[in-house]
Amino acid sequence: MAELSNCPKCNEIFVKNQFRDVCQNCWKEEEKAYETVYQFIRKRENRTAKILEVVEATGVEEELILKFIKSGRLKLAQFPNLGYPCEKCGSSIREGKICGGCADELRKDLQQFTAEEEQRAEILKRDKNATYFSVNEKIKRRL
């Protein structure tokens, strides 16, 4: 759904939608930057360029190149050395949001948490079954 918003780059008011997150003027600048980057890495000798080499050669900001990669405009299958940082540790990845090592670590932590929760539930269940109440105290109170 479209909504009125300020452009994050130039602060101009524009209608934000699912296709554009910047105003018309900034979008045109991004398109020019995309063409510059794409023309550079499309050349055979530049296909193996790393992201820092692309930044240096084209003058386009790294964040903008990462935006092109994450949005799917630059296909990583065609460019073997391009990638983007893992959201947890910052290492270079080519798919998803986190690297394999971080995913394994999160999976291990989740399994450990689940095991601890099961253990807590078992202890609570045991403690509940081990508790007993004296009937005599209730009877004495009524008399």
Side-chain angles (χ1 to χ4, degrees):
M1 177 153 317
E3 63 181 67
L4 201 58
S5 182
N6 286 26
C7 177
K9 290 187 174 188
C10 68
N11 211 24
E12 184 178 319
I13 294 177
F14 75 106
V15 178
K16 182 177 182 177
N17 59 30
Q18 63 185 4
F19 303 110
R20 288 196 192 154
D21 58 351
V22 292
C23 70
Q24 181 71 19
N25 294 333
C26 293
W27 181 78
K28 286 180 182 178
E29 288 177 23
E30 283 187 4
E31 286 301 305
K32 287 178 187 174
Y34 171 76
E35 282 300 318
T36 303
V37 169
Y38 188 71
Q39 292 302 323
F40 175 76
I41 60 176
R42 203 171 112 192
K43 294 178 183 174
R44 184 178 302 259
E45 64 269 10
N46 296 331
R47 286 189 183 166
T48 58
K50 296 185 179 184
I51 201 154
L52 292 177
E53 295 168 352
V54 175
V55 169
E56 290 173 6
T58 61
V60 177
E61 297 174 355
E62 183 177 354
E63 292 81 25
L64 194 54
I65 296 172
L66 294 175
K67 180 180 177 181
F68 298 147
I69 293 171
K70 287 181 179 181
S71 66
R73 294 187 72 189
L74 293 176
K75 304 292 183 202
L76 293 179
Q78 299 169 352
F79 312 109
N81 290 336
L82 286 183
Y84 51 92
C86 168
E87 290 186 5
K88 188 168 188 258
C89 69
S91 65
S92 183
I93 57 174
R94 297 179 56 78
E95 62 183 28
K97 293 188 180 230
I98 58 174
C99 64
C102 291
D104 291 341
E105 184 180 328
L106 285 173
R107 210 173 284 115
K108 185 181 102 185
D109 290 346
L110 186 58
Q111 288 173 346
Q112 181 181 354
F113 176 77
T114 304
E116 288 174 359
E117 285 297 311
E118 289 173 358
Q119 187 178 13
R120 280 191 202 120
E122 183 64 34
I123 289 171
L124 285 174
K125 185 178 176 184
R126 254 189 288 141
D127 288 348
K128 187 176 180 182
N129 290 339
T131 305
Y132 64 94
F133 299 97
S134 172
V135 177
N136 286 340
E137 291 294 322
K138 277 189 170 181
I139 294 173
K140 286 181 184 177
R141 285 186 193 160
R142 288 186 185 176
L143 293 177

